[in-house]
């Protein structure tokens, strides 16, 4: 079964050495554009005709079974246009043929790379801008495509690639995150089981009347890890104990 | 030193859908638009090494013509559609 597709064909012609030179305001360019309009009803025609003085090109649509047939048809039409306009016949130096669907898909894609500044990269990675400065020291962190006075600019694709291979380790808690909670990988607040157990441990001892010093010692003995440093201090213990609900007073 | 004249602005002489692209190219991407002395206005890419592009002055009967126009703009380094803001 023969299926005819609509093909967008782009042909460029270049002036050979010693050929007649054209100026950009040559009337024949207008004639060339007009000659294209004549074919619009038959094959689909792009009325815009790009040119430069030593090169001209044409983009047009033809119906054909495959790109080779499309190229042949487009060449014939373009040759007639050149002839009708009175332009010099220069050799074709470039030919591009793609189906209309292919061109549609291509035009639907942005042809501008997505760019990120430091603030956007920080947001994308869920870290602070200061952390970005640290991450940049890693050899696997992408280099910015350009360093402007306003700061570095990255291609989003490069940052995405980094994220795919980033062996992310939990760092310090973000400011304001209470003991017993953490930021999950999806950016949501989640409970930290180990720290929640420590909170309950502190709470039970506090309610039993233990002092902050005693609780700190018991925490270390039980192997609970403090929020910062290697040792539990009484200030931290008191802060956690203050989170513990007080028992109801007896009547 | 001879300065280039300021770019013209596209008006009613070109179809609306083309005008939207041309406006963006000259206001954001440094292209120039020249409608002086010729029936067909011309777009000059920001990269002066790239070929000029003729802009049709009448609505084309075939809507596919606009797609070829955009493809030609992109061949010359023009960005279309415009990138989205953050």
């Amino acid at each position: 079964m023969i299926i005819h597709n609509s093909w967008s064909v782009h042909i460029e012609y270049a002036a050979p050495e010693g050929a007649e030179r054209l100026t950009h305001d040559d009337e024949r360019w207008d004639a060339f554009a007009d000659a294209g309009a004549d074919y619009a009803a038959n094959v689909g025609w792009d009325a815009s005709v790009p040119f430069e003085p030593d090169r001209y090109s044409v983009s047009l649509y033809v119906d054909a079974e495959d790109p080779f047939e499309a190229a042949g048809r487009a060449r014939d039409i373009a040759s007639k246009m050149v002839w009708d306009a009175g332009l010099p016949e220069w050799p074709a130096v470039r030919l591009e043929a793609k189906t209309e669907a292919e061109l549609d898909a291509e035009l639907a894609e942005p042809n501008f790379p997505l760019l990120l500044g430091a603030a956007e990269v920080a947001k994308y990675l869920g870290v602070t801008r200061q952390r970005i400065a640290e991450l940049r020291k890693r050899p696997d962190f992408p280099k910015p495509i350009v360093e402007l006075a306003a700061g570095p600019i990255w291609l989003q694709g490069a940052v995405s690639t980094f994220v795919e291979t980033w062996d992310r380790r939990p760092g310090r808690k973000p400011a304001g995150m209470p003991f017993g909670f953490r930021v999950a990988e999806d950016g949501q607040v989640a409970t930290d089981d180990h720290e929640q157990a420590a909170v309950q441990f502190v709470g039970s001892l506090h309610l039993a009347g233990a002092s902050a010093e005693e609780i700190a010692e018991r925490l270390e003995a039980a192997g609970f890890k403090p929020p910062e440093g290697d040792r539990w201090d009484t200030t931290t213990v008191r802060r956690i104990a203050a989170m513990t609900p007080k028992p109801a007073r007896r009547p | 030193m001879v300065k280039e004249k300021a770019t013209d602005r596209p008006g009613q002489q070109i179809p609306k859908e083309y005008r939207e692209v041309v406006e963006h190219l000259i206001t954001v991407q440094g292209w120039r638009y020249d409608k002086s002395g010729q029936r067909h206005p011309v777009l000059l890419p920001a990269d002066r090494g790239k070929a000029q592009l003729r802009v049709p002055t009448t609505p084309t009967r075939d809507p596919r013509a606009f797609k070829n126009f955009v493809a030609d703009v992109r061949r010359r380094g023009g960005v279309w559609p415009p990138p989205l803001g953050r």
Side-chain angles (χ1 to χ4, degrees), chain A residues 6 8 30 34 44 50 104 111, chain B residues 39 54 64 67-68 76 78:
Chain A
S6 174
S8 170
D30 282 341
D34 292 341
D104 285 348
N111 64 332
Chain B
R39 199 158 54 80
R54 292 238 161 167
R64 295 180 302 179
K67 291 190 276 188
N68 262 344
R76 286 157 176 75

Side-chain angles (χ1 to χ4, degrees), chain A residues 102-172:
Chain A
E102 187 81 5
L103 180 64
D104 285 348
E106 189 180 298
L107 295 182
E109 287 293 316
N111 64 332
F112 184 75
L114 292 171
L115 304 175
L116 303 175
E120 287 80 16
V121 173
K123 193 174 173 185
Y124 190 76
L125 300 180
V127 299
T128 62
R129 287 189 64 168
Q130 289 73 22
R131 179 85 178 116
I132 295 297
E134 287 300 313
L135 286 170
R136 288 187 67 183
K137 295 174 184 168
R138 294 171 56 127
D140 58 340
F141 195 76
K143 289 194 172 11
I145 186 139
V146 64
E147 290 265 5
L148 303 176
I153 304 291
W154 285 269
L155 289 173
Q156 189 190 43
V159 179
S160 303
T161 303
F162 169 73
V163 169
E164 287 169 9
T165 57
W166 185 20
D167 179 22
R168 190 171 193 167
R169 291 174 191 166
R172 291 175 59 181

Side-chain angles (χ1 to χ4, degrees), chain A residues 20-33 51-53 85-88 90, chain B residues 37-40 42 52 54:
Chain A
E20 175 198 359
R21 307 299 292 199
L22 299 168
T23 57
H24 79 280
D25 55 355
D26 193 302
E27 288 180 357
R28 286 174 286 182
W29 295 122
D30 282 341
F32 191 36
F51 70 95
E52 61 183 10
L87 284 173
W90 292 341
Chain B
Q38 295 176 51
R39 199 158 54 80
H40 290 274
V42 175
Q52 302 175 37
R54 292 238 161 167

